[in-house]
Amino acid sequence: MSTTTVPASTAQHPVPRDLERPREVVRHLGPNWFASVMGTGIVANAAATLPLQFPGLRTAATVVWAGAALLLLVLAAAWTVHWIRHRDIALAHGNNPVMSQFYGAPPMALMTVGAGALLLGKDWIGMDAAVAVDWTLWLAGTVLGLLAACTIPFRMITRHKAAPDAAFGGWLMPVVPPMVSAAMGALLIPHTPAGQPRLTMILACLAMFGISLFAAFLVINMIFSRLVHQDMPAAGTVPTLWIVLGPLGQAVTAAGLLANAAPVALPAQYAHGLAVFAAVFGVVTWGFAMLWLALAAAVTIRTARTTGLPFNLTWWGFTFPVGTCVTASSGLAVRTGADLFHWAAVALYVLLLTAWAVTAFRTGRGALRGTLLLPRPPLPRPPPLAEAVREPGSRSRDRGPLAVRYHHRLPLPLRTPDDLTRRHHGGT
């Protein structure tokens, strides 16, 4: 969800010179653009599950879902052209230690739109067509999501050397898709043939729940450690802190939906156990999500007041993760009957709508002007990032109390994948 910042001289032109030819529009199109489909789709899906319903809400939500579906088609076509005509750049995105993280966005975009077809689209296209669309998009998203969850961490281990302050919210993007598969797959369990196919489906969803849950906890720990032990994140990456809410809210949502589907797929004792688990696990995890929401909001406000918060595609991190908290709160409201979750869902949905409206408007404006479709302009090579300073009493991981302690300084604003890449590789 990273993007570029363009010099004032270039930004003055409604359509930058480099984008006058239509084929140039897709030249630098990265997988991070699919976050816009995720953010738009969750606005619709969250409205469908909101405990507070009123006339016109479902119709409006269905219109938004249709918009997300259209956006998915446009981006899928554009990204295909990008891979055909600019394969070198597409491969470079895959090898980039930052941009590659966002290969988790396309599978989640597919499954978000698929779930919307079953929740809302059935009103327009019929149940049979909605189920067919959901199955197709869920299967494609699940395969791509599992591939991302395996390959991206493997490449991080074997090819990328991360600096101590490299961890950011984007590291969660490759490991969250299996959780989305678990949640969205639960909606398809009643539409799976009874017997072994249905049993296999719910067990697969539970397994993917575990894959994403434990992987996300590992990454969240690294992100928090980076926040505590290093300097404040660069302004351009602060919105990615909100991505932490994604696996938390989606885990609560998945637990609830799987518990709802369990009676038709599992023996009674296991179905009852999942119902208890959904309530207890859901409330506990929801509490931690609200803590992280407060921390992320505080860091965001502080950054906006001190250095400013430049717009880029990371702002879509304000949408989908908050949307998962809406669906989590809505599910807990139904399961527990507590007014706390009822009103929390409504308040979070208002926050989601606000974030989506601002981000969608600014993304649309940037896309029309072309500024979001340009590569980062060349920057002068910065001086070395690490300066050795010996501090009495300081400790390192491998040496004693007088070991050298390194302070990393970033002389230029960190705004784009290339900036982050430089940081990953220690300034090289």
Side-chain angles (χ1 to χ4, degrees), residues 101-168:
Q101 306 295 328
F102 297 100
Y103 273 92
M108 288 190 282
L110 290 171
M111 290 184 284
T112 300
V113 172
L118 201 55
L119 292 170
L120 297 162
K122 62 184 180 182
D123 295 347
W124 290 4
I125 63 176
M127 178 60 79
D128 291 342
V131 171
V133 168
D134 196 12
W135 266 117
T136 302
L137 296 181
W138 183 84
L139 287 170
T142 297
V143 171
L144 293 175
L146 289 173
L147 186 63
C150 293
T151 58
I152 301 304
F154 177 75
R155 293 171 71 90
M156 292 175 68
I157 294 169
T158 59
R159 296 193 180 187
H160 303 151
K161 184 177 180 180
D165 58 353
F168 75 117

Short mmCIF file of all heavy atoms in Angstrom, two decimals, residues 101-168:
data_model
loop_
_atom_site.label_atom_id
_atom_site.label_comp_id
_atom_site.label_asym_id
_atom_site.label_seq_id
_atom_site.Cartn_x
_atom_site.Cartn_y
_atom_site.Cartn_z
N GLN A 101 5.41 -7.77 0.11
CA GLN A 101 4.48 -8.07 1.21
C GLN A 101 3.03 -7.92 0.78
O GLN A 101 2.14 -8.60 1.28
CB GLN A 101 4.75 -7.14 2.41
CG GLN A 101 6.18 -7.13 2.91
CD GLN A 101 6.61 -8.46 3.48
OE1 GLN A 101 5.80 -9.20 4.03
NE2 GLN A 101 7.89 -8.77 3.33
N PHE A 102 2.81 -7.04 -0.19
CA PHE A 102 1.44 -6.72 -0.58
C PHE A 102 0.88 -7.68 -1.62
O PHE A 102 -0.21 -7.46 -2.14
CB PHE A 102 1.38 -5.27 -1.06
CG PHE A 102 1.72 -4.31 0.04
CD1 PHE A 102 2.98 -3.74 0.11
CD2 PHE A 102 0.81 -4.02 1.04
CE1 PHE A 102 3.31 -2.88 1.15
CE2 PHE A 102 1.13 -3.16 2.07
CZ PHE A 102 2.39 -2.60 2.13
N TYR A 103 1.60 -8.77 -1.88
CA TYR A 103 1.01 -9.84 -2.66
C TYR A 103 -0.10 -10.55 -1.89
O TYR A 103 -0.82 -11.38 -2.45
CB TYR A 103 2.08 -10.83 -3.12
CG TYR A 103 2.72 -10.42 -4.42
CD1 TYR A 103 3.87 -9.65 -4.44
CD2 TYR A 103 2.15 -10.78 -5.63
CE1 TYR A 103 4.45 -9.25 -5.64
CE2 TYR A 103 2.71 -10.40 -6.83
CZ TYR A 103 3.87 -9.63 -6.83
OH TYR A 103 4.42 -9.23 -8.02
N GLY A 104 -0.26 -10.21 -0.62
CA GLY A 104 -1.40 -10.71 0.13
C GLY A 104 -2.68 -9.96 -0.18
O GLY A 104 -3.78 -10.45 0.14
N ALA A 105 -2.59 -8.79 -0.81
CA ALA A 105 -3.78 -7.99 -1.09
C ALA A 105 -4.67 -8.58 -2.18
O ALA A 105 -5.90 -8.62 -2.00
CB ALA A 105 -3.37 -6.56 -1.43
N PRO A 106 -4.14 -9.03 -3.33
CA PRO A 106 -5.04 -9.57 -4.36
C PRO A 106 -5.92 -10.73 -3.89
O PRO A 106 -7.14 -10.72 -4.16
CB PRO A 106 -4.08 -9.99 -5.48
CG PRO A 106 -2.91 -9.08 -5.32
CD PRO A 106 -2.75 -8.90 -3.84
N PRO A 107 -5.38 -11.74 -3.17
CA PRO A 107 -6.28 -12.81 -2.73
C PRO A 107 -7.35 -12.33 -1.76
O PRO A 107 -8.50 -12.78 -1.82
CB PRO A 107 -5.34 -13.83 -2.07
CG PRO A 107 -4.07 -13.12 -1.83
CD PRO A 107 -3.97 -12.07 -2.88
N MET A 108 -7.01 -11.39 -0.88
CA MET A 108 -8.02 -10.88 0.05
C MET A 108 -9.07 -10.05 -0.68
O MET A 108 -10.25 -10.04 -0.31
CB MET A 108 -7.36 -10.07 1.16
CG MET A 108 -6.60 -10.93 2.15
SD MET A 108 -6.05 -10.05 3.64
CE MET A 108 -4.62 -9.17 3.00
N ALA A 109 -8.66 -9.34 -1.73
CA ALA A 109 -9.62 -8.59 -2.53
C ALA A 109 -10.61 -9.54 -3.21
O ALA A 109 -11.83 -9.28 -3.23
CB ALA A 109 -8.88 -7.75 -3.57
N LEU A 110 -10.10 -10.65 -3.74
CA LEU A 110 -10.98 -11.63 -4.39
C LEU A 110 -12.02 -12.16 -3.41
O LEU A 110 -13.22 -12.21 -3.71
CB LEU A 110 -10.14 -12.79 -4.93
CG LEU A 110 -9.24 -12.50 -6.13
CD1 LEU A 110 -8.31 -13.69 -6.39
CD2 LEU A 110 -10.06 -12.20 -7.38
N MET A 111 -11.57 -12.54 -2.23
CA MET A 111 -12.49 -13.17 -1.27
C MET A 111 -13.46 -12.16 -0.67
O MET A 111 -14.60 -12.51 -0.32
CB MET A 111 -11.69 -13.89 -0.18
CG MET A 111 -10.98 -15.11 -0.70
SD MET A 111 -10.11 -16.05 0.58
CE MET A 111 -8.67 -15.02 0.84
N THR A 112 -13.04 -10.91 -0.53
CA THR A 112 -13.94 -9.88 -0.01
C THR A 112 -15.10 -9.64 -0.96
O THR A 112 -16.26 -9.56 -0.55
CB THR A 112 -13.17 -8.57 0.22
OG1 THR A 112 -12.11 -8.79 1.16
CG2 THR A 112 -14.08 -7.48 0.76
N VAL A 113 -14.79 -9.55 -2.25
CA VAL A 113 -15.85 -9.37 -3.24
C VAL A 113 -16.72 -10.62 -3.33
O VAL A 113 -17.95 -10.53 -3.46
CB VAL A 113 -15.25 -9.03 -4.62
CG1 VAL A 113 -16.32 -9.03 -5.70
CG2 VAL A 113 -14.56 -7.67 -4.57
N GLY A 114 -16.11 -11.80 -3.22
CA GLY A 114 -16.88 -13.04 -3.25
C GLY A 114 -17.87 -13.13 -2.11
O GLY A 114 -19.04 -13.51 -2.31
N ALA A 115 -17.43 -12.78 -0.91
CA ALA A 115 -18.33 -12.81 0.24
C ALA A 115 -19.46 -11.80 0.07
O ALA A 115 -20.62 -12.06 0.44
CB ALA A 115 -17.55 -12.51 1.52
N GLY A 116 -19.14 -10.64 -0.52
CA GLY A 116 -20.17 -9.64 -0.76
C GLY A 116 -21.24 -10.14 -1.73
O GLY A 116 -22.42 -9.78 -1.60
N ALA A 117 -20.83 -10.99 -2.67
CA ALA A 117 -21.82 -11.56 -3.59
C ALA A 117 -22.84 -12.39 -2.83
O ALA A 117 -24.04 -12.36 -3.13
CB ALA A 117 -21.11 -12.41 -4.64
N LEU A 118 -22.37 -13.15 -1.82
CA LEU A 118 -23.27 -14.01 -1.06
C LEU A 118 -24.10 -13.22 -0.05
O LEU A 118 -25.26 -13.54 0.20
CB LEU A 118 -22.46 -15.09 -0.34
CG LEU A 118 -23.20 -16.35 0.11
CD1 LEU A 118 -23.91 -17.00 -1.06
CD2 LEU A 118 -22.22 -17.32 0.75
N LEU A 119 -23.48 -12.17 0.52
CA LEU A 119 -24.18 -11.38 1.53
C LEU A 119 -25.15 -10.37 0.91
O LEU A 119 -26.23 -10.13 1.44
CB LEU A 119 -23.18 -10.64 2.40
CG LEU A 119 -22.29 -11.49 3.32
CD1 LEU A 119 -21.19 -10.63 3.94
CD2 LEU A 119 -23.13 -12.13 4.42
N LEU A 120 -24.76 -9.77 -0.22
CA LEU A 120 -25.53 -8.67 -0.80
C LEU A 120 -25.90 -8.88 -2.26
O LEU A 120 -27.02 -8.60 -2.68
CB LEU A 120 -24.72 -7.36 -0.69
CG LEU A 120 -24.41 -6.88 0.73
CD1 LEU A 120 -23.27 -5.86 0.70
CD2 LEU A 120 -25.64 -6.27 1.38
N GLY A 121 -24.94 -9.37 -3.04
CA GLY A 121 -25.17 -9.50 -4.47
C GLY A 121 -26.29 -10.42 -4.85
O GLY A 121 -26.87 -10.29 -5.93
N LYS A 122 -26.63 -11.35 -3.95
CA LYS A 122 -27.72 -12.30 -4.26
C LYS A 122 -29.04 -11.58 -4.50
O LYS A 122 -29.93 -12.11 -5.18
CB LYS A 122 -27.86 -13.31 -3.12
CG LYS A 122 -28.24 -12.68 -1.79
CD LYS A 122 -28.28 -13.72 -0.66
CE LYS A 122 -28.66 -13.08 0.67
NZ LYS A 122 -28.65 -14.06 1.78
N ASP A 123 -29.19 -10.38 -3.94
CA ASP A 123 -30.43 -9.61 -4.15
C ASP A 123 -30.58 -9.21 -5.61
O ASP A 123 -31.70 -9.01 -6.09
CB ASP A 123 -30.43 -8.36 -3.28
CG ASP A 123 -30.45 -8.67 -1.79
OD1 ASP A 123 -30.71 -9.84 -1.44
OD2 ASP A 123 -30.20 -7.75 -0.98
N TRP A 124 -29.45 -9.07 -6.32
CA TRP A 124 -29.47 -8.61 -7.71
C TRP A 124 -29.25 -9.74 -8.70
O TRP A 124 -29.86 -9.73 -9.78
CB TRP A 124 -28.39 -7.55 -7.92
CG TRP A 124 -28.67 -6.23 -7.25
CD1 TRP A 124 -29.73 -5.92 -6.44
CD2 TRP A 124 -27.90 -5.04 -7.36
NE1 TRP A 124 -29.66 -4.62 -6.02
CE2 TRP A 124 -28.53 -4.05 -6.57
CE3 TRP A 124 -26.72 -4.71 -8.02
CZ2 TRP A 124 -28.03 -2.75 -6.43
CZ3 TRP A 124 -26.22 -3.41 -7.90
CH2 TRP A 124 -26.87 -2.45 -7.12
N ILE A 125 -28.39 -10.69 -8.35
CA ILE A 125 -28.02 -11.72 -9.34
C ILE A 125 -28.60 -13.09 -9.02
O ILE A 125 -28.45 -14.02 -9.81
CB ILE A 125 -26.48 -11.83 -9.45
CG1 ILE A 125 -25.86 -12.30 -8.13
CG2 ILE A 125 -25.88 -10.50 -9.89
CD1 ILE A 125 -24.35 -12.52 -8.21
N GLY A 126 -29.28 -13.22 -7.86
CA GLY A 126 -29.86 -14.49 -7.48
C GLY A 126 -28.89 -15.34 -6.66
O GLY A 126 -27.67 -15.19 -6.77
N MET A 127 -29.46 -16.23 -5.85
CA MET A 127 -28.65 -17.03 -4.94
C MET A 127 -27.70 -17.97 -5.68
O MET A 127 -26.52 -18.10 -5.31
CB MET A 127 -29.55 -17.83 -4.00
CG MET A 127 -28.77 -18.74 -3.04
SD MET A 127 -27.62 -17.84 -1.97
CE MET A 127 -28.76 -17.20 -0.73
N ASP A 128 -28.17 -18.64 -6.72
CA ASP A 128 -27.33 -19.59 -7.42
C ASP A 128 -26.10 -18.92 -8.02
O ASP A 128 -24.96 -19.41 -7.90
CB ASP A 128 -28.12 -20.29 -8.53
CG ASP A 128 -29.19 -21.23 -7.98
OD1 ASP A 128 -29.08 -21.60 -6.78
OD2 ASP A 128 -30.11 -21.60 -8.73
N ALA A 129 -26.31 -17.78 -8.66
CA ALA A 129 -25.18 -17.05 -9.25
C ALA A 129 -24.25 -16.54 -8.17
O ALA A 129 -23.02 -16.56 -8.32
CB ALA A 129 -25.69 -15.90 -10.11
N ALA A 130 -24.82 -16.07 -7.05
CA ALA A 130 -24.01 -15.54 -5.95
C ALA A 130 -23.11 -16.63 -5.36
O ALA A 130 -21.93 -16.40 -5.07
CB ALA A 130 -24.90 -14.94 -4.88
N VAL A 131 -23.68 -17.82 -5.19
CA VAL A 131 -22.89 -18.93 -4.65
C VAL A 131 -21.78 -19.31 -5.62
O VAL A 131 -20.62 -19.56 -5.21
CB VAL A 131 -23.80 -20.15 -4.36
CG1 VAL A 131 -22.96 -21.37 -4.01
CG2 VAL A 131 -24.76 -19.83 -3.22
N ALA A 132 -22.08 -19.33 -6.91
CA ALA A 132 -21.07 -19.67 -7.92
C ALA A 132 -19.94 -18.65 -7.93
O ALA A 132 -18.75 -19.01 -7.98
CB ALA A 132 -21.72 -19.76 -9.30
N VAL A 133 -20.29 -17.37 -7.85
CA VAL A 133 -19.27 -16.31 -7.82
C VAL A 133 -18.41 -16.44 -6.57
O VAL A 133 -17.18 -16.34 -6.63
CB VAL A 133 -19.94 -14.92 -7.89
CG1 VAL A 133 -18.93 -13.82 -7.57
CG2 VAL A 133 -20.56 -14.69 -9.25
N ASP A 134 -19.07 -16.67 -5.43
CA ASP A 134 -18.32 -16.76 -4.18
C ASP A 134 -17.38 -17.96 -4.18
O ASP A 134 -16.23 -17.86 -3.75
CB ASP A 134 -19.30 -16.85 -3.00
CG ASP A 134 -18.60 -16.57 -1.67
OD1 ASP A 134 -17.45 -16.10 -1.68
OD2 ASP A 134 -19.21 -16.82 -0.62
N TRP A 135 -17.85 -19.11 -4.65
CA TRP A 135 -16.99 -20.29 -4.71
C TRP A 135 -15.77 -20.02 -5.60
O TRP A 135 -14.63 -20.36 -5.24
CB TRP A 135 -17.75 -21.49 -5.25
CG TRP A 135 -18.37 -22.37 -4.21
CD1 TRP A 135 -19.70 -22.62 -4.04
CD2 TRP A 135 -17.69 -23.14 -3.21
NE1 TRP A 135 -19.90 -23.48 -2.98
CE2 TRP A 135 -18.68 -23.82 -2.46
CE3 TRP A 135 -16.36 -23.30 -2.87
CZ2 TRP A 135 -18.38 -24.65 -1.38
CZ3 TRP A 135 -16.05 -24.14 -1.79
CH2 TRP A 135 -17.04 -24.80 -1.07
N THR A 136 -16.00 -19.42 -6.75
CA THR A 136 -14.90 -19.16 -7.68
C THR A 136 -13.86 -18.23 -7.07
O THR A 136 -12.65 -18.52 -7.11
CB THR A 136 -15.44 -18.55 -8.99
OG1 THR A 136 -16.40 -19.44 -9.57
CG2 THR A 136 -14.32 -18.28 -9.97
N LEU A 137 -14.32 -17.11 -6.51
CA LEU A 137 -13.39 -16.13 -5.94
C LEU A 137 -12.75 -16.65 -4.66
O LEU A 137 -11.57 -16.36 -4.39
CB LEU A 137 -14.12 -14.81 -5.69
CG LEU A 137 -14.65 -14.11 -6.94
CD1 LEU A 137 -15.32 -12.79 -6.57
CD2 LEU A 137 -13.53 -13.86 -7.94
N TRP A 138 -13.50 -17.43 -3.87
CA TRP A 138 -12.92 -17.98 -2.64
C TRP A 138 -11.82 -18.99 -2.96
O TRP A 138 -10.75 -18.97 -2.34
CB TRP A 138 -14.00 -18.64 -1.79
CG TRP A 138 -13.47 -19.16 -0.48
CD1 TRP A 138 -13.30 -18.44 0.68
CD2 TRP A 138 -13.02 -20.49 -0.20
NE1 TRP A 138 -12.77 -19.25 1.68
CE2 TRP A 138 -12.59 -20.51 1.15
CE3 TRP A 138 -12.95 -21.66 -0.94
CZ2 TRP A 138 -12.10 -21.67 1.77
CZ3 TRP A 138 -12.45 -22.81 -0.34
CH2 TRP A 138 -12.03 -22.81 0.99
N LEU A 139 -12.07 -19.86 -3.91
CA LEU A 139 -11.05 -20.85 -4.28
C LEU A 139 -9.79 -20.18 -4.83
O LEU A 139 -8.66 -20.52 -4.45
CB LEU A 139 -11.61 -21.83 -5.31
CG LEU A 139 -12.63 -22.85 -4.77
CD1 LEU A 139 -13.30 -23.60 -5.92
CD2 LEU A 139 -11.96 -23.83 -3.81
N ALA A 140 -9.98 -19.21 -5.72
CA ALA A 140 -8.83 -18.51 -6.28
C ALA A 140 -8.08 -17.74 -5.20
O ALA A 140 -6.84 -17.79 -5.12
CB ALA A 140 -9.28 -17.55 -7.38
N GLY A 141 -8.82 -17.05 -4.33
CA GLY A 141 -8.19 -16.29 -3.27
C GLY A 141 -7.48 -17.17 -2.25
O GLY A 141 -6.41 -16.81 -1.74
N THR A 142 -8.07 -18.32 -1.96
CA THR A 142 -7.45 -19.22 -0.99
C THR A 142 -6.14 -19.79 -1.52
O THR A 142 -5.13 -19.84 -0.79
CB THR A 142 -8.43 -20.36 -0.64
OG1 THR A 142 -9.59 -19.81 0.00
CG2 THR A 142 -7.77 -21.36 0.30
N VAL A 143 -6.13 -20.21 -2.76
CA VAL A 143 -4.90 -20.76 -3.35
C VAL A 143 -3.81 -19.69 -3.38
O VAL A 143 -2.66 -19.92 -2.96
CB VAL A 143 -5.17 -21.30 -4.76
CG1 VAL A 143 -3.86 -21.65 -5.46
CG2 VAL A 143 -6.08 -22.52 -4.70
N LEU A 144 -4.16 -18.50 -3.86
CA LEU A 144 -3.17 -17.41 -3.92
C LEU A 144 -2.73 -16.98 -2.52
O LEU A 144 -1.56 -16.65 -2.30
CB LEU A 144 -3.76 -16.22 -4.68
CG LEU A 144 -4.01 -16.44 -6.17
CD1 LEU A 144 -4.72 -15.23 -6.77
CD2 LEU A 144 -2.71 -16.71 -6.91
N GLY A 145 -3.69 -16.98 -1.58
CA GLY A 145 -3.36 -16.56 -0.22
C GLY A 145 -2.42 -17.53 0.47
O GLY A 145 -1.48 -17.11 1.17
N LEU A 146 -2.65 -18.82 0.31
CA LEU A 146 -1.75 -19.81 0.90
C LEU A 146 -0.37 -19.74 0.26
O LEU A 146 0.65 -19.92 0.93
CB LEU A 146 -2.35 -21.21 0.75
CG LEU A 146 -3.57 -21.51 1.63
CD1 LEU A 146 -4.17 -22.87 1.25
CD2 LEU A 146 -3.21 -21.49 3.11
N LEU A 147 -0.36 -19.48 -1.04
CA LEU A 147 0.92 -19.33 -1.73
C LEU A 147 1.70 -18.13 -1.18
O LEU A 147 2.90 -18.23 -0.91
CB LEU A 147 0.67 -19.16 -3.23
CG LEU A 147 1.90 -19.14 -4.14
CD1 LEU A 147 2.63 -20.47 -4.07
CD2 LEU A 147 1.49 -18.82 -5.58
N ALA A 148 1.00 -17.02 -0.97
CA ALA A 148 1.66 -15.83 -0.42
C ALA A 148 2.13 -16.08 1.01
O ALA A 148 3.23 -15.66 1.40
CB ALA A 148 0.70 -14.64 -0.45
N ALA A 149 1.30 -16.76 1.80
CA ALA A 149 1.64 -17.02 3.20
C ALA A 149 2.88 -17.90 3.34
O ALA A 149 3.59 -17.83 4.35
CB ALA A 149 0.46 -17.66 3.93
N CYS A 150 3.14 -18.72 2.32
CA CYS A 150 4.32 -19.59 2.37
C CYS A 150 5.54 -18.95 1.73
O CYS A 150 6.64 -18.97 2.29
CB CYS A 150 4.02 -20.91 1.66
SG CYS A 150 2.79 -21.95 2.48
N THR A 151 5.36 -18.36 0.53
CA THR A 151 6.51 -17.91 -0.24
C THR A 151 7.11 -16.61 0.27
O THR A 151 8.34 -16.46 0.29
CB THR A 151 6.14 -17.76 -1.71
OG1 THR A 151 5.05 -16.83 -1.84
CG2 THR A 151 5.73 -19.09 -2.31
N ILE A 152 6.27 -15.66 0.67
CA ILE A 152 6.81 -14.36 1.08
C ILE A 152 7.65 -14.49 2.36
O ILE A 152 8.79 -13.99 2.39
CB ILE A 152 5.69 -13.32 1.25
CG1 ILE A 152 4.90 -13.15 -0.05
CG2 ILE A 152 6.27 -11.98 1.70
CD1 ILE A 152 5.75 -12.78 -1.25
N PRO A 153 7.19 -15.14 3.43
CA PRO A 153 8.08 -15.34 4.58
C PRO A 153 9.33 -16.12 4.23
O PRO A 153 10.42 -15.84 4.76
CB PRO A 153 7.19 -16.10 5.58
CG PRO A 153 5.80 -15.71 5.22
CD PRO A 153 5.81 -15.59 3.72
N PHE A 154 9.22 -17.12 3.33
CA PHE A 154 10.40 -17.89 2.94
C PHE A 154 11.43 -16.99 2.26
O PHE A 154 12.64 -17.09 2.53
CB PHE A 154 9.99 -19.02 2.00
CG PHE A 154 11.16 -19.82 1.47
CD1 PHE A 154 11.82 -20.73 2.29
CD2 PHE A 154 11.60 -19.65 0.17
CE1 PHE A 154 12.91 -21.46 1.82
CE2 PHE A 154 12.68 -20.37 -0.32
CZ PHE A 154 13.33 -21.27 0.52
N ARG A 155 10.97 -16.11 1.39
CA ARG A 155 11.89 -15.19 0.73
C ARG A 155 12.48 -14.20 1.72
O ARG A 155 13.65 -13.79 1.57
CB ARG A 155 11.18 -14.46 -0.41
CG ARG A 155 10.78 -15.38 -1.56
CD ARG A 155 9.88 -14.66 -2.55
NE ARG A 155 10.62 -13.67 -3.30
CZ ARG A 155 11.25 -13.90 -4.46
NH1 ARG A 155 11.23 -15.13 -4.97
NH2 ARG A 155 11.87 -12.95 -5.10
N MET A 156 11.73 -13.81 2.71
CA MET A 156 12.28 -12.93 3.74
C MET A 156 13.41 -13.61 4.50
O MET A 156 14.41 -12.98 4.87
CB MET A 156 11.17 -12.52 4.73
CG MET A 156 10.09 -11.61 4.14
SD MET A 156 8.75 -11.29 5.31
CE MET A 156 9.62 -10.28 6.53
N ILE A 157 13.26 -14.90 4.72
CA ILE A 157 14.28 -15.66 5.46
C ILE A 157 15.52 -15.90 4.61
O ILE A 157 16.65 -15.78 5.10
CB ILE A 157 13.69 -17.01 5.93
CG1 ILE A 157 12.58 -16.77 6.96
CG2 ILE A 157 14.77 -17.91 6.53
CD1 ILE A 157 11.77 -18.02 7.28
N THR A 158 15.32 -16.21 3.34
CA THR A 158 16.43 -16.67 2.52
C THR A 158 17.07 -15.60 1.65
O THR A 158 18.23 -15.73 1.26
CB THR A 158 15.97 -17.82 1.60
OG1 THR A 158 14.88 -17.35 0.77
CG2 THR A 158 15.50 -19.01 2.42
N ARG A 159 16.32 -14.52 1.33
CA ARG A 159 16.85 -13.54 0.37
C ARG A 159 17.01 -12.14 0.93
O ARG A 159 17.82 -11.36 0.43
CB ARG A 159 15.95 -13.48 -0.87
CG ARG A 159 15.90 -14.77 -1.67
CD ARG A 159 15.27 -14.53 -3.02
NE ARG A 159 15.20 -15.75 -3.81
CZ ARG A 159 14.82 -15.81 -5.07
NH1 ARG A 159 14.47 -14.68 -5.70
NH2 ARG A 159 14.78 -16.95 -5.73
N HIS A 160 16.20 -11.78 1.90
CA HIS A 160 16.20 -10.40 2.38
C HIS A 160 16.85 -10.31 3.75
O HIS A 160 16.59 -11.15 4.62
CB HIS A 160 14.76 -9.87 2.46
CG HIS A 160 14.03 -9.93 1.15
ND1 HIS A 160 12.66 -10.07 1.07
CD2 HIS A 160 14.48 -9.89 -0.13
CE1 HIS A 160 12.30 -10.12 -0.18
NE2 HIS A 160 13.38 -10.01 -0.94
N LYS A 161 17.68 -9.31 3.92
CA LYS A 161 18.31 -9.07 5.20
C LYS A 161 17.67 -7.83 5.82
O LYS A 161 17.93 -6.70 5.40
CB LYS A 161 19.82 -8.87 5.04
CG LYS A 161 20.56 -8.70 6.36
CD LYS A 161 22.05 -8.56 6.14
CE LYS A 161 22.79 -8.40 7.47
NZ LYS A 161 24.25 -8.25 7.26
N ALA A 162 16.82 -8.03 6.80
CA ALA A 162 16.06 -6.93 7.38
C ALA A 162 16.86 -6.22 8.46
O ALA A 162 17.50 -6.85 9.30
CB ALA A 162 14.74 -7.45 7.98
N ALA A 163 16.82 -4.90 8.44
CA ALA A 163 17.44 -4.09 9.48
C ALA A 163 16.62 -4.19 10.75
O ALA A 163 15.44 -4.59 10.73
CB ALA A 163 17.55 -2.64 9.01
N PRO A 164 17.20 -3.80 11.91
CA PRO A 164 16.45 -3.90 13.17
C PRO A 164 15.15 -3.10 13.18
O PRO A 164 14.23 -3.44 13.91
CB PRO A 164 17.44 -3.36 14.20
CG PRO A 164 18.78 -3.61 13.61
CD PRO A 164 18.60 -3.41 12.13
N ASP A 165 15.09 -2.03 12.39
CA ASP A 165 13.89 -1.19 12.39
C ASP A 165 13.04 -1.41 11.13
O ASP A 165 12.26 -0.54 10.75
CB ASP A 165 14.26 0.29 12.52
CG ASP A 165 15.20 0.75 11.41
OD1 ASP A 165 15.65 -0.12 10.63
OD2 ASP A 165 15.47 1.95 11.32
N ALA A 166 13.20 -2.56 10.48
CA ALA A 166 12.50 -2.80 9.22
C ALA A 166 11.06 -3.24 9.40
O ALA A 166 10.25 -3.08 8.48
CB ALA A 166 13.25 -3.85 8.40
N ALA A 167 10.71 -3.83 10.52
CA ALA A 167 9.36 -4.37 10.71
C ALA A 167 8.32 -3.27 10.60
O ALA A 167 8.47 -2.19 11.19
CB ALA A 167 9.26 -5.06 12.07
N PHE A 168 7.26 -3.53 9.85
CA PHE A 168 6.15 -2.59 9.75
C PHE A 168 4.87 -3.39 9.50
O PHE A 168 4.92 -4.61 9.30
CB PHE A 168 6.41 -1.55 8.64
CG PHE A 168 6.25 -2.06 7.24
CD1 PHE A 168 5.28 -1.54 6.40
CD2 PHE A 168 7.07 -3.07 6.74
CE1 PHE A 168 5.14 -2.00 5.10
CE2 PHE A 168 6.93 -3.54 5.43
CZ PHE A 168 5.96 -3.00 4.62
#
